[in-house]
Each structure stands twice: as structure tokens, then as C-alpha cells.
Amino acid sequence: MPQASKTDGRTDAASMRTGADGLNRAKLYQLVLFPFNNGATNVYYVLLMNYIAYYAEGVLGLLLAFATTMVTVTRALDAFIDPVVGMLIDRTQTRFGKFRPFMVLGNLVMVVSSLCLFYGTRLIPADNVAVRYVGYTFFYILLMVGYSIQTSCTRAGQTCLTNDPKQRPTFTLFNTIASLVGMGVTMAVASLVGGVVGFRTEQFFDIVIPLVICLSAALTALAVIGIAGKDRPEFWGLGTGADAPELKVRDYVRIFRENHELKRLIVAASGTKFAFAVATNTSVGILLYSCMMGNYNGLYLPMYVLGYAFSAPFFLGGLKLSQKQGQKKTLVTFTSLALVLYLGVCALLMLWQPGNPALTLSIFSTEGGFHLTLNAYTIVFIVLYGLGYGAYYSTADMAIPMIADVSDYEMFRSGSYAPGVIGTLFSFVDKLVSSLSTTVVGIALLAVGLSHLPDTTTAYVPGMKGLTIVLFCIIPMVAWVLTLVAMKGYTLTGKRMEEIQAVNGARKAAIEAGMPVEEAMERWKDAQDLEDGAKA
């Protein structure tokens, strides 16, 4: 990296963009708006993970095995696209920034591919099955490319937004708001529409697809506004963007090999993501609330809303805990709580018996007029499920700001500003693992004799109870155990991140004042070196 000049005005710029302690802080509107990038992509995530197989099977007449397997294959392909996108992000410097061009491009690609996939493929004659398979596959892959381009910016962009250990945990809170607007609205509307017209009909997608496109585009615009003031060279790494070296493929291998905190976070987050994708799959919800409990419309949406309601205090409490003791503490505490509570949820589902109203979930009935039918079994289930869901859902996206911590740790460790590389290395493994979720559900359905995806007309058959317990409870619990094991050796606590940011800040100030990068990296190797230098 070239030596910085003492007369290029960087010292003045540094004083304008940081606090007295040298930390880069974001304004409130920036913290609120940028997470909508994740909300924008989550809209398509809901579509891709929960409903696209219904379109392939119900509208186009493709085989169920092909529809569910394609979700896995394309999600895995998406994982391999991520590293390429990461390298492009790290090498990109335009007048519009490093991240904003990819956010806009990714969303535009998803708009075009969605129109072609969900409307264009219908124009292919039904008797030309081979062309339908090819068209579906091509446009699905194109949609995943756009998805990968935009999602890569969520993790990478965190590094230039703020590095304040007190501000960074707020991403999880504001991301929840963004998800409620994006993913929450999409799932709520889709469940209501699907309950009326069915999930395998053209009418369902005629309503849902325009909603997905418009909602995601609007959230993307908000996210672009949020990061605009920070997507500039002076917020990229230790120096200006011009000082950054071009990272190559071998850098992926080096960082993954040497950055142990990244590997621990990947294990923790990818397992939880897989479990979340399985447990919240639409087919699993139908198995539980329709096939077993017999009242999908009266249970799914109320339970969904209750889950979010129970999440609110966990998000607020988790924010305070993360600001005081670091994000690791919050992740471990809430994951442990969810694990204990879901033992109770699992026990309740084991007690369920077909035709026994005392051991069946029931909230209200509309037969003969609206009236409550709440029983003790349902009350206990709501408490255990609500608190358990609230605890683990509040940590579902905590990996995103933690990835920013890992990226800053890499800059501290090696001097490399590689948010694209770090973020996409994480998503590479994360997507490979989570891509299995739809296939696991599809295989599980075939195991109980279902030849098509269940809907609200599917009757209960023997084996569904055990299958639902495994998908809804056991898989998440196993993932949480793996998370706790991985986090045991994770060293980026709140105190440690404060030390790392202090060292990075001192190096950056020295480089901007004219010190060669190599000398700055050598002078401050740890927080103790920084403290000794201050005393001298």
C-alpha cells in the first residue's frame, strides 16, 4: 500500500467523521435505514424458500422432487456466486460508492428475473414440458444471482456504517423492524391469500409477486439513502479506498485458514439459519396448524404475530446486554434460553392426540359466531413457544453485525480491509448449509407418503406427528447446541472489540497523518502497545 501524504487533507477529514475517541459513528437515520437492505432481500427469501416450489409443482406441473431439489441446488449455487461478488465489492470504487451500485443492480436483476420466472414461464405450452423445466431453471438461477449481489452488501456495508461497539448491536434491532416490514408483511399476506385461493394457484402468485417486487424495491431505496453518507473512501479500511490492495482468490484461503473467529461464527450462525429455515417452512406450519391441529387459518397467523410480540422485549433487552457485555453474551444467553423452552414445546407436541380437544391447540372459533376456545394446553404452548421463539428470533440476524466485528478483527490482525471477502466467506458456508432446508422438508414429506406439498386440504396421516416434532423442534434444538459449542471459544467479547477498535483507530489516524502502513501495523500490535504509546 502506498504511503499517505501529510498534506492531502486526510487529518481534517478524519476529525470531521469521527468522535474524540476516533470511532466512526453513524447518525440515527443511517442506523435505521440501512438494515432495510436486508429487509428488501428477505422479501425474496420468503418467496424462494417457502413458495417457489408451490409455483413449480402447482402452476407449471413440474415434479415435487424437482421443485424442492431445485431450491437446494440454486441456493448452493448462490453460495458459490457470493465469493465472486465479494471480490468485486472489495475492488469496486465509483462516484456512487462501493456498495450502492451492487444494492441497486441486485434488486433490478431480481425484478426482471421474477417477472420472467413467474409470468413468462406460464406462456410456455403445457405440452412442452422440457422447455418449462429449462425456462424455470434458467430464470430461477438468474433470480438467485440478483439475490446474491444485493445480500452481499448487507454484511459488507456494516463495516463502513459504524465501528462503535455501542452502536453496532443496534443493527439487530433495526433489522427486525426492516424484517417485519419486508418478510413479515410478505408472509402475512401470502398466508392470508394462500388460505383463500390456495398456494398452488396462479391467483396466489398474481397477488404475491407484484407485492414482492414493489415492497423490495421501496426498501432498497431506503437502504441506499441510509448508507449514502458513509459509502465513501474515507470510511473504507485503514486509509482511503485508493490505498487498498486488490484481494485475490488466495486471500480467501488465507483469511479462512487464519481467522478462527470467522470459522466459529460460521458454525454458530449457519446451523441456526438452517434450523430456522426448516422450522418456519410453510409446509411445516401446515403440518402443525392444519394437519395436526385442524385450524390453519385460526392458528398460523395468530401464532406468527404472537412470536413477533414475544420477540420485542428480547430485542430491547438484547440490545442493552450487547452494548454492555458484547454480542457474544447475548447470543449465548438467548440461545440457551430457547433451548430450554423448546424442550417444553417438544413435550407438549408429544402429548398431542388426534381427536382430543383438551390436547389440541385452539384459540377461537367462528362457528355459530366468534368466540374464544382457549384451553390450558394452548396457553402453556403459547407461553413456551412465544418465549422460546422470541429468544431465538431476536438472535437470528445477530450474525450480521458480528460479521462486521470479524471484519474489523481481520483488519486489526492483518491490516486487510476485506468486508466483501469476510461477508461472502460467511455466506458461502451459510447458504450451503441452509440450502438443504427445503430438500430436508421435501424428503421428510415423501417419507410419510405425501406425493405433493401439503396445503390446508391435506388430511392427517400416521407419522405426521413425529415428523412435525422433528422439523419444528428437534432440528432447531440440535442447531442451538452446536451454536453454544462454537461460541465457547469465540474471543470477540465486548471488551475485546473495544480494544480492537482502539488499535484500528490509532493506526488509521497515524496513516492519515503520513505514517507508512507497514510501520503503523508494526507499531500497534495490540491494545497494550497502544496504552504504552499513549503513556510515552
PDB file of all heavy atoms in Angstrom, residues 308-337:
ATOM      1  N   TYR A 308     -43.702 -12.646  17.093  1.00  0.00           N
ATOM      2  CA  TYR A 308     -43.091 -11.325  16.973  1.00  0.00           C
ATOM      3  C   TYR A 308     -43.303 -10.504  18.235  1.00  0.00           C
ATOM      4  O   TYR A 308     -42.414  -9.776  18.687  1.00  0.00           O
ATOM      5  CB  TYR A 308     -43.663 -10.577  15.758  1.00  0.00           C
ATOM      6  CG  TYR A 308     -42.975 -10.918  14.454  1.00  0.00           C
ATOM      7  CD1 TYR A 308     -43.661 -11.569  13.437  1.00  0.00           C
ATOM      8  CD2 TYR A 308     -41.643 -10.589  14.247  1.00  0.00           C
ATOM      9  CE1 TYR A 308     -43.036 -11.878  12.242  1.00  0.00           C
ATOM     10  CE2 TYR A 308     -41.013 -10.894  13.051  1.00  0.00           C
ATOM     11  CZ  TYR A 308     -41.707 -11.542  12.049  1.00  0.00           C
ATOM     12  OH  TYR A 308     -41.083 -11.848  10.876  1.00  0.00           O
ATOM     13  N   ALA A 309     -44.506 -10.597  18.820  1.00  0.00           N
ATOM     14  CA  ALA A 309     -44.799  -9.834  20.033  1.00  0.00           C
ATOM     15  C   ALA A 309     -43.878 -10.256  21.174  1.00  0.00           C
ATOM     16  O   ALA A 309     -43.355  -9.412  21.915  1.00  0.00           O
ATOM     17  CB  ALA A 309     -46.262 -10.033  20.423  1.00  0.00           C
ATOM     18  N   PHE A 310     -43.673 -11.556  21.319  1.00  0.00           N
ATOM     19  CA  PHE A 310     -42.768 -12.047  22.361  1.00  0.00           C
ATOM     20  C   PHE A 310     -41.319 -11.660  22.071  1.00  0.00           C
ATOM     21  O   PHE A 310     -40.501 -11.584  22.993  1.00  0.00           O
ATOM     22  CB  PHE A 310     -42.884 -13.570  22.480  1.00  0.00           C
ATOM     23  CG  PHE A 310     -43.989 -14.044  23.376  1.00  0.00           C
ATOM     24  CD1 PHE A 310     -45.217 -14.420  22.856  1.00  0.00           C
ATOM     25  CD2 PHE A 310     -43.798 -14.115  24.745  1.00  0.00           C
ATOM     26  CE1 PHE A 310     -46.239 -14.855  23.676  1.00  0.00           C
ATOM     27  CE2 PHE A 310     -44.810 -14.556  25.576  1.00  0.00           C
ATOM     28  CZ  PHE A 310     -46.043 -14.930  25.042  1.00  0.00           C
ATOM     29  N   SER A 311     -40.989 -11.430  20.795  1.00  0.00           N
ATOM     30  CA  SER A 311     -39.612 -11.083  20.434  1.00  0.00           C
ATOM     31  C   SER A 311     -39.226  -9.681  20.902  1.00  0.00           C
ATOM     32  O   SER A 311     -38.055  -9.422  21.183  1.00  0.00           O
ATOM     33  CB  SER A 311     -39.428 -11.156  18.906  1.00  0.00           C
ATOM     34  OG  SER A 311     -39.657 -12.446  18.421  1.00  0.00           O
ATOM     35  N   ALA A 312     -40.205  -8.783  20.973  1.00  0.00           N
ATOM     36  CA  ALA A 312     -39.919  -7.370  21.256  1.00  0.00           C
ATOM     37  C   ALA A 312     -39.085  -7.157  22.518  1.00  0.00           C
ATOM     38  O   ALA A 312     -38.040  -6.488  22.472  1.00  0.00           O
ATOM     39  CB  ALA A 312     -41.222  -6.583  21.323  1.00  0.00           C
ATOM     40  N   PRO A 313     -39.480  -7.711  23.676  1.00  0.00           N
ATOM     41  CA  PRO A 313     -38.651  -7.484  24.867  1.00  0.00           C
ATOM     42  C   PRO A 313     -37.261  -8.106  24.759  1.00  0.00           C
ATOM     43  O   PRO A 313     -36.300  -7.588  25.346  1.00  0.00           O
ATOM     44  CB  PRO A 313     -39.460  -8.136  25.998  1.00  0.00           C
ATOM     45  CG  PRO A 313     -40.405  -9.075  25.328  1.00  0.00           C
ATOM     46  CD  PRO A 313     -40.706  -8.473  24.004  1.00  0.00           C
ATOM     47  N   PHE A 314     -37.148  -9.200  24.015  1.00  0.00           N
ATOM     48  CA  PHE A 314     -35.828  -9.812  23.842  1.00  0.00           C
ATOM     49  C   PHE A 314     -34.915  -8.923  23.001  1.00  0.00           C
ATOM     50  O   PHE A 314     -33.713  -8.821  23.273  1.00  0.00           O
ATOM     51  CB  PHE A 314     -35.963 -11.192  23.202  1.00  0.00           C
ATOM     52  CG  PHE A 314     -36.454 -12.257  24.142  1.00  0.00           C
ATOM     53  CD1 PHE A 314     -37.785 -12.659  24.120  1.00  0.00           C
ATOM     54  CD2 PHE A 314     -35.603 -12.837  25.061  1.00  0.00           C
ATOM     55  CE1 PHE A 314     -38.246 -13.631  24.994  1.00  0.00           C
ATOM     56  CE2 PHE A 314     -36.046 -13.811  25.944  1.00  0.00           C
ATOM     57  CZ  PHE A 314     -37.380 -14.211  25.912  1.00  0.00           C
ATOM     58  N   PHE A 315     -35.474  -8.297  21.970  1.00  0.00           N
ATOM     59  CA  PHE A 315     -34.666  -7.390  21.164  1.00  0.00           C
ATOM     60  C   PHE A 315     -34.182  -6.205  21.987  1.00  0.00           C
ATOM     61  O   PHE A 315     -33.015  -5.822  21.916  1.00  0.00           O
ATOM     62  CB  PHE A 315     -35.474  -6.896  19.960  1.00  0.00           C
ATOM     63  CG  PHE A 315     -35.474  -7.853  18.806  1.00  0.00           C
ATOM     64  CD1 PHE A 315     -36.598  -8.595  18.509  1.00  0.00           C
ATOM     65  CD2 PHE A 315     -34.339  -8.011  18.023  1.00  0.00           C
ATOM     66  CE1 PHE A 315     -36.605  -9.480  17.440  1.00  0.00           C
ATOM     67  CE2 PHE A 315     -34.330  -8.895  16.960  1.00  0.00           C
ATOM     68  CZ  PHE A 315     -35.466  -9.634  16.665  1.00  0.00           C
ATOM     69  N   LEU A 316     -35.077  -5.620  22.766  1.00  0.00           N
ATOM     70  CA  LEU A 316     -34.705  -4.465  23.579  1.00  0.00           C
ATOM     71  C   LEU A 316     -33.714  -4.857  24.667  1.00  0.00           C
ATOM     72  O   LEU A 316     -32.711  -4.185  24.886  1.00  0.00           O
ATOM     73  CB  LEU A 316     -35.960  -3.834  24.190  1.00  0.00           C
ATOM     74  CG  LEU A 316     -36.968  -3.248  23.185  1.00  0.00           C
ATOM     75  CD1 LEU A 316     -38.226  -2.779  23.899  1.00  0.00           C
ATOM     76  CD2 LEU A 316     -36.326  -2.110  22.403  1.00  0.00           C
ATOM     77  N   GLY A 317     -33.997  -5.985  25.355  1.00  0.00           N
ATOM     78  CA  GLY A 317     -33.079  -6.457  26.381  1.00  0.00           C
ATOM     79  C   GLY A 317     -31.749  -6.894  25.794  1.00  0.00           C
ATOM     80  O   GLY A 317     -30.684  -6.655  26.383  1.00  0.00           O
ATOM     81  N   GLY A 318     -31.803  -7.539  24.620  1.00  0.00           N
ATOM     82  CA  GLY A 318     -30.573  -7.976  23.959  1.00  0.00           C
ATOM     83  C   GLY A 318     -29.707  -6.816  23.535  1.00  0.00           C
ATOM     84  O   GLY A 318     -28.472  -6.898  23.588  1.00  0.00           O
ATOM     85  N   LEU A 319     -30.339  -5.716  23.113  1.00  0.00           N
ATOM     86  CA  LEU A 319     -29.578  -4.530  22.722  1.00  0.00           C
ATOM     87  C   LEU A 319     -28.800  -3.987  23.916  1.00  0.00           C
ATOM     88  O   LEU A 319     -27.601  -3.675  23.809  1.00  0.00           O
ATOM     89  CB  LEU A 319     -30.527  -3.465  22.174  1.00  0.00           C
ATOM     90  CG  LEU A 319     -29.908  -2.101  21.846  1.00  0.00           C
ATOM     91  CD1 LEU A 319     -28.796  -2.242  20.815  1.00  0.00           C
ATOM     92  CD2 LEU A 319     -30.980  -1.139  21.356  1.00  0.00           C
ATOM     93  N   LYS A 320     -29.458  -3.875  25.051  1.00  0.00           N
ATOM     94  CA  LYS A 320     -28.790  -3.368  26.255  1.00  0.00           C
ATOM     95  C   LYS A 320     -27.657  -4.296  26.685  1.00  0.00           C
ATOM     96  O   LYS A 320     -26.561  -3.854  27.045  1.00  0.00           O
ATOM     97  CB  LYS A 320     -29.805  -3.224  27.390  1.00  0.00           C
ATOM     98  CG  LYS A 320     -30.902  -2.199  27.132  1.00  0.00           C
ATOM     99  CD  LYS A 320     -30.335  -0.800  27.043  1.00  0.00           C
ATOM    100  CE  LYS A 320     -31.438   0.227  26.880  1.00  0.00           C
ATOM    101  NZ  LYS A 320     -30.901   1.611  26.734  1.00  0.00           N
ATOM    102  N   LEU A 321     -27.935  -5.596  26.640  1.00  0.00           N
ATOM    103  CA  LEU A 321     -26.925  -6.574  27.044  1.00  0.00           C
ATOM    104  C   LEU A 321     -25.726  -6.546  26.102  1.00  0.00           C
ATOM    105  O   LEU A 321     -24.568  -6.614  26.543  1.00  0.00           O
ATOM    106  CB  LEU A 321     -27.552  -7.973  27.075  1.00  0.00           C
ATOM    107  CG  LEU A 321     -26.655  -9.123  27.557  1.00  0.00           C
ATOM    108  CD1 LEU A 321     -26.174  -8.865  28.982  1.00  0.00           C
ATOM    109  CD2 LEU A 321     -27.405 -10.451  27.475  1.00  0.00           C
ATOM    110  N   SER A 322     -25.987  -6.442  24.782  1.00  0.00           N
ATOM    111  CA  SER A 322     -24.895  -6.403  23.799  1.00  0.00           C
ATOM    112  C   SER A 322     -24.045  -5.157  23.961  1.00  0.00           C
ATOM    113  O   SER A 322     -22.820  -5.201  23.807  1.00  0.00           O
ATOM    114  CB  SER A 322     -25.470  -6.460  22.377  1.00  0.00           C
ATOM    115  OG  SER A 322     -26.118  -7.680  22.131  1.00  0.00           O
ATOM    116  N   GLN A 323     -24.672  -4.026  24.260  1.00  0.00           N
ATOM    117  CA  GLN A 323     -23.925  -2.781  24.433  1.00  0.00           C
ATOM    118  C   GLN A 323     -23.050  -2.818  25.678  1.00  0.00           C
ATOM    119  O   GLN A 323     -21.974  -2.212  25.701  1.00  0.00           O
ATOM    120  CB  GLN A 323     -24.899  -1.598  24.503  1.00  0.00           C
ATOM    121  CG  GLN A 323     -25.565  -1.289  23.174  1.00  0.00           C
ATOM    122  CD  GLN A 323     -26.614  -0.205  23.282  1.00  0.00           C
ATOM    123  OE1 GLN A 323     -27.261  -0.047  24.316  1.00  0.00           O
ATOM    124  NE2 GLN A 323     -26.793   0.563  22.225  1.00  0.00           N
ATOM    125  N   LYS A 324     -23.483  -3.537  26.692  1.00  0.00           N
ATOM    126  CA  LYS A 324     -22.725  -3.599  27.939  1.00  0.00           C
ATOM    127  C   LYS A 324     -21.672  -4.711  27.933  1.00  0.00           C
ATOM    128  O   LYS A 324     -20.539  -4.508  28.386  1.00  0.00           O
ATOM    129  CB  LYS A 324     -23.677  -3.812  29.124  1.00  0.00           C
ATOM    130  CG  LYS A 324     -24.547  -2.600  29.446  1.00  0.00           C
ATOM    131  CD  LYS A 324     -25.425  -2.879  30.653  1.00  0.00           C
ATOM    132  CE  LYS A 324     -26.280  -1.666  31.006  1.00  0.00           C
ATOM    133  NZ  LYS A 324     -27.160  -1.934  32.179  1.00  0.00           N
ATOM    134  N   GLN A 325     -22.053  -5.899  27.416  1.00  0.00           N
ATOM    135  CA  GLN A 325     -21.164  -7.051  27.536  1.00  0.00           C
ATOM    136  C   GLN A 325     -20.784  -7.684  26.197  1.00  0.00           C
ATOM    137  O   GLN A 325     -20.075  -8.693  26.185  1.00  0.00           O
ATOM    138  CB  GLN A 325     -21.809  -8.106  28.444  1.00  0.00           C
ATOM    139  CG  GLN A 325     -22.086  -7.602  29.856  1.00  0.00           C
ATOM    140  CD  GLN A 325     -22.560  -8.702  30.780  1.00  0.00           C
ATOM    141  OE1 GLN A 325     -22.037  -9.825  30.750  1.00  0.00           O
ATOM    142  NE2 GLN A 325     -23.553  -8.418  31.604  1.00  0.00           N
ATOM    143  N   GLY A 326     -21.260  -7.128  25.098  1.00  0.00           N
ATOM    144  CA  GLY A 326     -20.891  -7.663  23.794  1.00  0.00           C
ATOM    145  C   GLY A 326     -21.945  -8.598  23.230  1.00  0.00           C
ATOM    146  O   GLY A 326     -22.792  -9.138  23.947  1.00  0.00           O
ATOM    147  N   GLN A 327     -21.886  -8.803  21.916  1.00  0.00           N
ATOM    148  CA  GLN A 327     -22.905  -9.582  21.229  1.00  0.00           C
ATOM    149  C   GLN A 327     -22.795 -11.078  21.503  1.00  0.00           C
ATOM    150  O   GLN A 327     -23.791 -11.799  21.445  1.00  0.00           O
ATOM    151  CB  GLN A 327     -22.815  -9.292  19.728  1.00  0.00           C
ATOM    152  CG  GLN A 327     -23.132  -7.835  19.423  1.00  0.00           C
ATOM    153  CD  GLN A 327     -22.978  -7.483  17.970  1.00  0.00           C
ATOM    154  OE1 GLN A 327     -23.952  -7.403  17.238  1.00  0.00           O
ATOM    155  NE2 GLN A 327     -21.751  -7.265  17.538  1.00  0.00           N
ATOM    156  N   LYS A 328     -21.603 -11.546  21.809  1.00  0.00           N
ATOM    157  CA  LYS A 328     -21.447 -12.962  22.149  1.00  0.00           C
ATOM    158  C   LYS A 328     -22.282 -13.312  23.371  1.00  0.00           C
ATOM    159  O   LYS A 328     -22.955 -14.350  23.396  1.00  0.00           O
ATOM    160  CB  LYS A 328     -19.975 -13.287  22.406  1.00  0.00           C
ATOM    161  CG  LYS A 328     -19.768 -14.712  22.935  1.00  0.00           C
ATOM    162  CD  LYS A 328     -18.335 -14.974  23.370  1.00  0.00           C
ATOM    163  CE  LYS A 328     -18.216 -16.345  24.018  1.00  0.00           C
ATOM    164  NZ  LYS A 328     -16.844 -16.646  24.456  1.00  0.00           N
ATOM    165  N   LYS A 329     -22.266 -12.464  24.373  1.00  0.00           N
ATOM    166  CA  LYS A 329     -23.001 -12.713  25.604  1.00  0.00           C
ATOM    167  C   LYS A 329     -24.495 -12.844  25.322  1.00  0.00           C
ATOM    168  O   LYS A 329     -25.165 -13.743  25.847  1.00  0.00           O
ATOM    169  CB  LYS A 329     -22.742 -11.573  26.591  1.00  0.00           C
ATOM    170  CG  LYS A 329     -23.503 -11.701  27.912  1.00  0.00           C
ATOM    171  CD  LYS A 329     -23.010 -12.874  28.734  1.00  0.00           C
ATOM    172  CE  LYS A 329     -23.660 -12.892  30.100  1.00  0.00           C
ATOM    173  NZ  LYS A 329     -23.197 -14.037  30.928  1.00  0.00           N
ATOM    174  N   THR A 330     -25.024 -11.967  24.491  1.00  0.00           N
ATOM    175  CA  THR A 330     -26.445 -12.004  24.166  1.00  0.00           C
ATOM    176  C   THR A 330     -26.793 -13.272  23.396  1.00  0.00           C
ATOM    177  O   THR A 330     -27.797 -13.941  23.692  1.00  0.00           O
ATOM    178  CB  THR A 330     -26.831 -10.771  23.329  1.00  0.00           C
ATOM    179  OG1 THR A 330     -26.472  -9.592  24.044  1.00  0.00           O
ATOM    180  CG2 THR A 330     -28.316 -10.745  23.040  1.00  0.00           C
ATOM    181  N   LEU A 331     -25.977 -13.622  22.420  1.00  0.00           N
ATOM    182  CA  LEU A 331     -26.233 -14.803  21.598  1.00  0.00           C
ATOM    183  C   LEU A 331     -26.251 -16.069  22.452  1.00  0.00           C
ATOM    184  O   LEU A 331     -27.160 -16.898  22.337  1.00  0.00           O
ATOM    185  CB  LEU A 331     -25.170 -14.914  20.506  1.00  0.00           C
ATOM    186  CG  LEU A 331     -25.293 -16.110  19.556  1.00  0.00           C
ATOM    187  CD1 LEU A 331     -26.626 -16.097  18.829  1.00  0.00           C
ATOM    188  CD2 LEU A 331     -24.140 -16.127  18.562  1.00  0.00           C
ATOM    189  N   VAL A 332     -25.287 -16.214  23.326  1.00  0.00           N
ATOM    190  CA  VAL A 332     -25.197 -17.406  24.175  1.00  0.00           C
ATOM    191  C   VAL A 332     -26.358 -17.457  25.166  1.00  0.00           C
ATOM    192  O   VAL A 332     -26.980 -18.513  25.370  1.00  0.00           O
ATOM    193  CB  VAL A 332     -23.845 -17.437  24.911  1.00  0.00           C
ATOM    194  CG1 VAL A 332     -23.832 -18.536  25.964  1.00  0.00           C
ATOM    195  CG2 VAL A 332     -22.706 -17.646  23.924  1.00  0.00           C
ATOM    196  N   THR A 333     -26.676 -16.333  25.785  1.00  0.00           N
ATOM    197  CA  THR A 333     -27.734 -16.299  26.791  1.00  0.00           C
ATOM    198  C   THR A 333     -29.091 -16.640  26.192  1.00  0.00           C
ATOM    199  O   THR A 333     -29.829 -17.489  26.713  1.00  0.00           O
ATOM    200  CB  THR A 333     -27.807 -14.901  27.446  1.00  0.00           C
ATOM    201  OG1 THR A 333     -26.557 -14.605  28.060  1.00  0.00           O
ATOM    202  CG2 THR A 333     -28.909 -14.851  28.495  1.00  0.00           C
ATOM    203  N   PHE A 334     -29.441 -16.020  25.081  1.00  0.00           N
ATOM    204  CA  PHE A 334     -30.760 -16.228  24.488  1.00  0.00           C
ATOM    205  C   PHE A 334     -30.877 -17.589  23.817  1.00  0.00           C
ATOM    206  O   PHE A 334     -31.946 -18.193  23.805  1.00  0.00           O
ATOM    207  CB  PHE A 334     -31.075 -15.107  23.495  1.00  0.00           C
ATOM    208  CG  PHE A 334     -31.374 -13.781  24.144  1.00  0.00           C
ATOM    209  CD1 PHE A 334     -31.644 -12.659  23.378  1.00  0.00           C
ATOM    210  CD2 PHE A 334     -31.381 -13.646  25.523  1.00  0.00           C
ATOM    211  CE1 PHE A 334     -31.931 -11.442  23.968  1.00  0.00           C
ATOM    212  CE2 PHE A 334     -31.653 -12.430  26.134  1.00  0.00           C
ATOM    213  CZ  PHE A 334     -31.928 -11.324  25.352  1.00  0.00           C
ATOM    214  N   THR A 335     -29.783 -18.077  23.255  1.00  0.00           N
ATOM    215  CA  THR A 335     -29.814 -19.412  22.651  1.00  0.00           C
ATOM    216  C   THR A 335     -30.034 -20.480  23.718  1.00  0.00           C
ATOM    217  O   THR A 335     -30.794 -21.436  23.515  1.00  0.00           O
ATOM    218  CB  THR A 335     -28.507 -19.688  21.888  1.00  0.00           C
ATOM    219  OG1 THR A 335     -28.346 -18.719  20.844  1.00  0.00           O
ATOM    220  CG2 THR A 335     -28.517 -21.080  21.278  1.00  0.00           C
ATOM    221  N   SER A 336     -29.381 -20.315  24.855  1.00  0.00           N
ATOM    222  CA  SER A 336     -29.566 -21.263  25.964  1.00  0.00           C
ATOM    223  C   SER A 336     -31.007 -21.253  26.454  1.00  0.00           C
ATOM    224  O   SER A 336     -31.590 -22.316  26.734  1.00  0.00           O
ATOM    225  CB  SER A 336     -28.625 -20.900  27.119  1.00  0.00           C
ATOM    226  OG  SER A 336     -27.267 -20.941  26.713  1.00  0.00           O
ATOM    227  N   LEU A 337     -31.592 -20.075  26.548  1.00  0.00           N
ATOM    228  CA  LEU A 337     -32.978 -19.960  26.994  1.00  0.00           C
ATOM    229  C   LEU A 337     -33.926 -20.623  26.007  1.00  0.00           C
ATOM    230  O   LEU A 337     -34.854 -21.352  26.404  1.00  0.00           O
ATOM    231  CB  LEU A 337     -33.342 -18.488  27.172  1.00  0.00           C
ATOM    232  CG  LEU A 337     -34.773 -18.186  27.633  1.00  0.00           C
ATOM    233  CD1 LEU A 337     -35.042 -18.823  28.992  1.00  0.00           C
ATOM    234  CD2 LEU A 337     -35.011 -16.682  27.691  1.00  0.00           C
TER     235      LEU A 337
END
